[in-house]
Amino acid sequence: MRKAAAKQTSSPGCIPIPTPPGHSLQPQQTPLGTSRQASTRPVRRGEAGNQGMSAGDMFDAVCSGKSAMVALVDEWLDSYKQSREAGLLELINFIVQCCGCKGVVTRDMFDNMQNAEIISSLTNEFREGSENYPLCTPGPQWKRFKAGLCEFVRVLVRSCQNSLLYDEYLFSSLMALLTGMSDSQVRAFRHTSTLLAMKLMTGVMEVAVILSTQLQISQRRYYLENRKNAQDRASARLEVLQATISELQENREELSSLMNATFRGVFVHRYRDHLPEVRAVCIAELGKWLSEDPEDFLNDGNLKYLGWTLNDKQSPVRLQCVLALQSLYQEKDFIGRLELFTSRFKERMLSMVLDKDPDVAVEMVHLLLLIHQKTEGGLQDEECGRIYPLVFASHRGLASAAGSFLYNNIKKVIASDYQESWTTVGPNVAFFNILVSFYIQSEFQQHGVYLVDSLWDVAGSELRDWETMTTLLLQDDGLSDAEEGALIELMMCAIKRAAEGFPPVGRTQGKKILNMKDKKIQAQDRRRITTHFINLIPQLLAKYSVDEEKVCLLLEAPFHFDLEMYSSSKPLEKHLDLLVSQVCGIVKKHSEARVLEACARLVPALCSDCYTFSTRTHLAFSQLLDGLTECFNTYLDDLLQGTADEEDMYRAALALKRVATFNRAMDLKRWKLFNPCLDVLQSNVVRDLDNEVELLQLKKEVRLFYSVCQTCLSLDQAEIRDQAFELLCDVVLLYSPGSVRSQTLAQPPPDSLRSEMASFVMDYIFTGCEDDHFTGVNEEMTIATFQRKHNQLAGYCKLVIYGALDLSAATDVFKHYSKYHKEFGDIIKETLSKSRLINPVQSAKTVCLSLQQLFSEMISEKPDEQELGEIRGLAKRLAMSFGTNLHRVRKSLVALHMDGMRFAFRDPKEGELQHLNLAFLEILSDFTFKVLHQNRAQLSAFLKAECPSAALSWPSVRMYQRSLEGSSSKPRQEEGGGEKESSTLSPPINPTAKRRKTTAQDSVSSAQRISWMDSSSIHGSLLSPALTSTVLLEQTKPQASTHPRDTDFNESSGLLEPDSEDEFDEGLSLIEENNVEAEEHKIENVQSISDEEFSPILPVFKVTAAPTDLFVSLAQAQI
């Protein structure tokens, strides 16, 4: 391994610093090729002692962050100049102390031991079990320490740039030690030494850039002087310039050698270190080298490290990689050198806009914007289309970045296609035309508030251009109906955003607090909005008064006005009258509930007593209600006498509907509508549905429907079977006692149907889910299957929660809580929670019953230790569902334990063994830690009363008794030897397959369960839910894969080192801390987040087949 590593590091293709013209680095390559073994060279020191600053003083100064770093470095340099060996020793001990190591490099070790031996000795002295060291210790003090340490290295290099940097002792010895420490198995050594080495190389690189600049200047001067005539040429000046050039070239070669050794010895190995912190440091410094010294570093051989690291599995490393690329693409001069990199890694960069870390995704969008702006080809339209939807993401930073990308593209289109029309219509008209077109074509309509918020930071001035928007809306032609609706929605979203000053719901974190500057801007925006719209909103309402959608949007505008302006002058009161008149006219024109409610919401705002004009508005709305009431009273006599025709009934109902809308906005007592409405209800105008004949017919049809669907549950056709179950969930809930208005309409399902539905849950929902994987061509089918099962289980659980089925039916669900927690854990947990709210004691007994059923199934086959462990695992998960408020669940837990003990000690049936259920006490012991101490004595007494004297010595009984006597309030671990004492079980035997299907005869029906479950536990305490069991999410189109493509490089790509193909055969690899370097590495790709995690949930619903469709499908299947 070492030989392979040495071969790779000595490869010519790895050299990041090219040789200056006319000079060769070949003499330097002998030691650099073995830079990983550089620590074998002993570091010698003289006899003089160190009379200057000690390592402890340096560490304290850096740690405090209060000392001037230049003074600190100067003081150490003074001691180093007195004795360079002693000074270097103190610097080494300072580095060791920065690693968190308590060991010290003594003078004897420094004189007689090689670097590898010194590091080995320090490793042995490093405190075992120590995980924290200064660089990873949390707290503000240690954050200052890291910054101070980096500053110390930078100042040290700058202070030595004219002398000690070229003495071939200080920095070469220091770098040899850091290279050896970077190979250490100790995390603290490896992390700290890598950081120091990278910062040292950055400092040396900065000096090298300065030298290169000075060298170019000197060479230019020499060239100009040499071109002069012989009589004008200054020979002495030429000699001085030649000497300066030679010295600068020699120093440059020295720095190139030092950087080459550091790059090969540290970076090439540590950029793929096991620790993400180490990898992040390497990539961050590489970005600086590429951007600040492009002549030496910016080439395909070094860019490949950034490309590979885009696939790192840790987000901080990917973030540093993206930031490094941003610094490169910002420079126009670098674009030509980045062409190959861009073409090779563009697909990966596009996929990272959906990175699971939002910070990485945000920076990647900024990077793609730079690529689109700076590169010649930019991004194609379909590539930009992968970024545009992010403006609707819930993460505001990502949405704002995508908004900036969208805004720049809009401006680019305007500059190229609309430039000639600017003089006539203005640039903002073109902006709104493009924005409205984009919004209409997007798949996230009715979410304009998110689009506006995404653009607010970059396009705030355009979105505040109310004049342009209202001009476009009030003109007779120009916009289509859809475009007008979209523009009105975006305009209202912009008004709301400006008036409130907050991002929309879902994009805010913490409390909404505006600072003084934001409050000032908000007040100014409200005044501008009011000034502009106070006279235009009546015109807009008049133009769109017949359009339901547009009117509802426009009626939101007055809520964002500064309504005090209406009373500031007489002309403005005229606009108020026009607004109230338009609102009253809209109420008279529309019958849609949403339009009437929008008008009613506006009434309290305009009639508030805090405004002087409230009397005028209140009078206007009172007159409106007078007219509506008079219209209702006109048809009242005909309604009471039964002579009203359908048109009269419709007009009366519509007038009453409009009046009822204002119930929350105004006090309707003065219109005295209660008695007339009561008379109408008592006059049998509404058809009586309690007719006995019709009721019997309805019940007969419901029973027939139950019978047909029950038959369908046993068919082999999955589609018919699923539709039947979903329809049953709706109909059973619809005719449950808690849903119907009269108990005479209730039609509970028969026991046979309950058994069939429970069997369906067992056979077709809780089966196969654990084997489903969302991969390959079956991914869409698998997702659809999971959504269908998820929906069916939710419908079944609602039947239990709302009393359509007995609470005991939930046992078939609770017993799968552990095994199917990943697939259905949310539904089962919510069912547990709701059942506990309805009846805590019976809910606990249902939990116990589910465990009893599993235990009985296990005993009826062949006892299995492994299966008992699975049941205990379920018991522990169910025990955690009781929460932390033990006083609230004390009665429930006592009832659960008592039921469990009765089951354990029940009398055996004929032909059964004695004490067959004693092992159930082991399962019951997993609930003991939730029992309060005052109840444990009660349960212990109950145990002694129930347990036969002969069974007291059985291991399971003793184990349960110890759990009651213990004082731990946490789940008990498996106890030493008695814990394997589940001695009622036989040795592990492979159990026979269970028969999941149950029948009406052998299933546990509500009549066969224990007495406390004989009646429904639900007494109408919850309102009936919306019917959702037959409403499924429409399957979305499969998204393009966001997994990164294989990052293998072709040999002709120009991004591959000739001698390092085995090192990166398939991309980035990570070495383990045992310092073993594998010969073949495989890339670890980061999984990008799916679209749903960043975009709002916008489901599109469809309703499954009605009963008629079910019968047709059944008939076709039979044919």
Side-chain angles (χ1 to χ4, degrees), residues 312-557:
D312 196 283
K313 65 180 181 179
Q314 295 295 331
S315 59
V317 184
R318 299 196 302 275
L319 180 60
Q320 292 297 332
C321 184
V322 175
L323 293 176
L325 289 172
Q326 286 182 7
S327 63
L328 297 179
Y329 280 97
Q330 285 174 352
E331 300 295 333
K332 191 173 182 179
D333 296 337
F334 298 168
I335 300 301
R337 304 186 187 187
L338 295 169
E339 288 183 358
L340 182 59
F341 178 89
T342 304
S343 62
R344 180 64 184 85
F345 291 101
K346 182 191 292 185
E347 182 63 27
R348 172 59 186 154
M349 289 188 285
L350 286 170
S351 69
M352 287 180 68
V353 299
L354 301 177
D355 194 275
K356 61 182 179 181
D357 188 341
D359 294 333
V360 178
V362 169
E363 298 302 332
M364 181 52 71
V365 173
H366 291 318
L367 174 60
L368 290 172
L369 177 59
L370 289 173
I371 294 176
H372 189 52
Q373 291 175 333
K374 301 291 184 179
T375 58
E376 182 177 355
L379 300 179
Q380 302 300 322
D381 292 341
E382 57 273 14
E383 294 171 340
C384 294
R386 297 168 64 174
I387 304 174
Y388 293 150
L390 296 178
V391 296
F392 299 99
S394 58
H395 188 274
R396 190 171 191 276
L398 179 59
S400 298
S404 178
F405 187 90
L406 174 62
Y407 177 76
N408 280 274
N409 277 3
I410 291 177
K411 286 296 185 182
K412 185 177 180 180
V413 172
I414 292 175
S416 59
D417 299 341
Y418 290 84
Q419 189 171 7
E420 296 181 357
S421 61
W422 279 9
T423 56
T424 57
V425 299
N428 286 352
V429 174
F431 173 81
F432 286 117
N433 285 332
I434 298 174
L435 184 62
V436 167
S437 177
F438 167 79
Y439 183 56
I440 293 175
Q441 295 175 12
S442 68
E443 299 178 0
F444 303 98
Q445 295 187 24
Q446 299 182 353
H447 287 76
V449 62
Y450 294 99
L451 174 60
V452 169
D453 182 66
S454 301
L455 294 168
W456 195 254
D457 294 336
V458 293
S461 59
E462 288 87 347
L463 294 174
R464 288 185 176 93
D465 187 3
W466 323 118
E467 292 80 3
T468 301
M469 287 188 274
T470 51
T471 301
L472 289 173
L473 291 173
L474 291 174
Q475 64 185 7
D476 295 334
D477 52 0
L479 296 178
S480 64
D481 183 70
E483 290 173 340
E484 287 178 342
L487 182 57
I488 290 176
E489 182 179 355
L490 294 177
M491 180 181 70
M492 297 311 303
C493 293
I495 291 175
K496 181 178 180 180
R497 181 65 175 83
E500 294 182 353
F502 296 114
V505 176
R507 286 189 178 175
T508 55
Q509 296 181 354
K511 295 183 178 180
K512 299 180 179 180
I513 301 177
L514 295 178
N515 54 35
M516 295 302 297
K517 180 181 178 181
D518 293 335
K519 289 181 179 179
K520 184 177 179 180
I521 295 175
Q522 179 191 18
Q524 292 175 352
D525 286 338
R526 289 179 72 94
R527 285 194 296 270
R528 289 186 62 247
I529 291 171
T530 307
T531 303
H532 179 73
F533 284 96
I534 201 169
N535 63 332
L536 292 180
I537 198 66
Q539 301 178 35
L540 292 171
L541 288 173
K543 180 177 180 178
Y544 300 106
S545 60
V546 296
D547 193 305
E548 176 185 351
E549 295 287 340
K550 298 182 179 67
V551 164
C552 290
L553 291 171
L554 291 171
L555 286 174
E556 296 292 328

Side-chain angles (χ1 to χ4, degrees), residues 49-243:
N50 183 17
Q51 304 296 329
M53 176 173 285
S54 66
D57 296 336
M58 296 169 64
F59 179 80
D60 293 339
V62 172
C63 189
S64 65
K66 298 179 180 179
S67 302
M69 207 58 64
V70 175
L72 178 65
V73 172
D74 289 343
E75 189 172 351
W76 176 82
L77 287 175
D78 291 339
S79 64
Y80 176 81
K81 292 174 182 178
Q82 295 177 10
S83 174
R84 67 177 191 175
E85 292 83 3
L88 180 59
L89 178 60
E90 292 301 330
L91 183 60
I92 291 174
N93 280 318
F94 165 69
I95 294 174
V96 172
Q97 195 168 354
C98 289
C99 296
C101 180
K102 302 301 181 183
V104 177
V105 181
T106 63
R107 179 172 179 173
D108 183 64
M109 295 169 59
F110 190 71
D111 287 339
N112 302 315
M113 296 175 64
Q114 297 178 345
N115 285 344
E117 296 172 337
I118 293 175
I119 296 171
S120 177
S121 177
L122 292 174
T123 301
N124 296 332
E125 294 181 8
F126 203 90
R127 183 159 54 91
E128 296 183 0
S130 175
E131 298 181 356
N132 288 338
Y133 51 94
L135 286 182
C136 74
T137 303
Q141 175 185 0
W142 298 109
K143 289 184 179 179
R144 292 194 300 268
F145 168 79
K146 181 178 180 181
L149 184 61
C150 297
E151 179 66 13
F152 176 85
V153 175
R154 188 188 70 83
V155 174
L156 176 62
V157 176
R158 283 296 181 93
S159 301
C160 301
Q161 64 179 337
N162 296 323
S163 56
L164 298 179
L165 192 57
Y166 316 105
D167 67 351
E168 298 185 358
Y169 176 75
L170 174 59
F171 284 92
S172 59
S173 301
L174 182 60
M175 195 57 68
L177 179 67
L178 293 176
T179 302
M181 293 178 67
S182 68
D183 266 346
S184 174
Q185 298 180 13
V186 179
R187 171 179 176 175
F189 284 164
R190 202 166 67 254
H191 186 185
T192 308
S193 61
T194 302
L195 175 65
L196 291 173
M198 294 295 98
K199 292 297 180 180
L200 273 174
M201 183 168 172
T202 300
V204 173
M205 179 271 302
E206 293 174 351
V207 176
V209 171
I210 296 174
L211 286 182
S212 298
T213 304
Q214 294 175 351
L215 180 60
Q216 292 176 1
I217 294 174
S218 299
Q219 289 176 338
R220 190 181 307 114
R221 290 176 178 175
Y222 181 86
Y223 174 75
L224 293 176
E225 187 67 28
N226 195 34
R227 288 184 60 186
K228 295 180 180 179
N229 297 328
Q231 59 273 19
D232 297 331
R233 187 183 307 157
S235 302
R237 179 175 174 79
L238 286 176
E239 293 177 1
V240 171
L241 289 174
Q242 184 62 46

Side-chain angles (χ1 to χ4, degrees), residues 985-1000:
L985 299 177
S986 333
I989 301 176
N990 293 330
T992 58
K994 292 185 179 181
R995 184 173 180 269
R996 301 175 63 89
K997 184 80 173 179
T998 59
T999 62

